């Protein structure tokens, strides 16, 4: 975005951080991995786990929320790993991604790998299986709306990273891991063919036919954020999965 | 939804409430007004304000979060008023609306009025002005995706309620209030023509042209939740604004 160069101060509103008040290179310059997930408490538990795995655990075991000035998102950091919550669905992960990319840019980070983790619904996938996404399939196409016009953007993710994660899964041996396509929906109930929402104008047979069609086109899980996250990784040159 | 009658237990996953563990009519049967807004802390401040206004303030001034079992949403209640956070954007307000409508149904509530409050960007509207929305204009059309197919749903809201709110605004005299159309976008940055996102592939002139077109079609503010909220109020018979 060429407009960024003209700005005196860049305020990341939804992180409650700004270049005028925070020293981005000092705070974030060493970041090499960004892991994002829906729930703030889960991303806090994740950073505590990562700290322990990397031998960087804090004595009290407490990790301060870098975005404590807002209740929109939570952010934690240990060594080269940043852990950020993104809420549920495309709009909040889109806002988070805009501000995260600007944060990494202002902090002059390089060679950053981003990984989107979280729960998803599996299609004919054994419970507990981990799905590494290959390509994101939006409900119809991977599209965003810019100035009222629909724009199509590629949601292909890094193939090499998928292979590396698959290899990690095999080495750990505790997870049943597959690589598959992910379907990204705008809603949890009607968007995913669930029968237990407040409104449901289809029957079980129609639901199963819909899920079978998705499975036949390579879809192995359904969630609500992947397409825009993938598109923004692609556009901004971040290696993502 | 006819499937709801066949369910032994109805679990509102994202509220951490269920008919098997909570007595919905006892907890929520007297609800007549539901106010929803984005931020959990703002909805807590709102319930404290309402409690004071209604003379129902708690001695300690503290209001427990009914959804404390999850960090997805926060919910507070005082007398007939329920205050619920919905996060940012259409997917989280869609999930919240499904579970809220089921909550009101299971609690056997009747004649419930819902009001969506919150910040929005104004178009040629003086800062601090309150916009009461008339009709929601989605970026292109008010649409939802059900089983992979786009469904168009009406987003007209209750006209009488708009007039009543306008009258309240006049009586209080502290707010500059207008009735106008609301544009609902999927993104805060590119979706609303902002120049300060991580990605921006248009210039200021194109942005201003876009906003002028919106203004000319009656749009007075932009936000990110209204269309689906309006459509779900319509479908479920809730009086909404």
């Amino acid at each position: 975005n060429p407009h960024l160069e003209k700005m005196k101060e860049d305020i990341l509103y939804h992180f409650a951080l700004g270049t005028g008040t925070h020293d981005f290179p000092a705070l974030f310059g060493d970041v090499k991995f960004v892991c994002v997930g829906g729930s703030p408490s889960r991303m806090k538990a994740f950073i505590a786990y990562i700290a322990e795995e990397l031998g960087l655990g804090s004595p009290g075991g407490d990790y301060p929320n870098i975005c404590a000035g807002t209740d929109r998102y939570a952010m934690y950091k240990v060594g080269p790993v940043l852990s950020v919550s993104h809420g549920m669905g495309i709009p909040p992960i889109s806002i988070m991604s805009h501000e995260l990319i600007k944060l990494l840019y202002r902090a002059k980070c390089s060679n950053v790998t981003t990984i989107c983790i979280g729960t998803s619904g599996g299609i004919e996938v054994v419970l507990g299986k981990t799905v590494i996404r290959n390509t994101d399939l939006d409900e119809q196409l991977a599209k965003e709306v810019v100035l009222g016009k629909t724009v199509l953007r590629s949601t292909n993710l890094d193939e090499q990273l998928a292979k590396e994660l698959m290899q990690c899964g095999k080495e750990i041996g505790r997870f049943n891991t597959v690589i598959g396509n992910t379907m990204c929906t705008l809603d949890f109930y009607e968007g995913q063919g669930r029968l237990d929402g407040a409104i449901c104008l289809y029957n079980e047979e129609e639901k199963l036919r819909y899920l079978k069609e998705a499975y036949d086109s390579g879809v192995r899980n359904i969630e609500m954020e992947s397409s825009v996250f993938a598109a923004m990784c692609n556009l901004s040159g971040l290696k993502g999965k």
Side-chain angles (χ1 to χ4, degrees), chain A residues 110-125:
Chain A
S110 58
N111 298 318
V112 176
T113 297
T114 57
I115 298 180
C116 187
I117 54 179
T119 48
S120 64
I123 301 187
E124 290 222 350
V125 161

Side-chain angles (χ1 to χ4, degrees), chain A residues 42-53:
Chain A
R42 216 188 290 146
M43 296 322 289
K44 185 171 188 175
F46 178 76
I47 206 73
Y49 170 77
I50 287 292
E52 189 126 325
E53 287 287 311

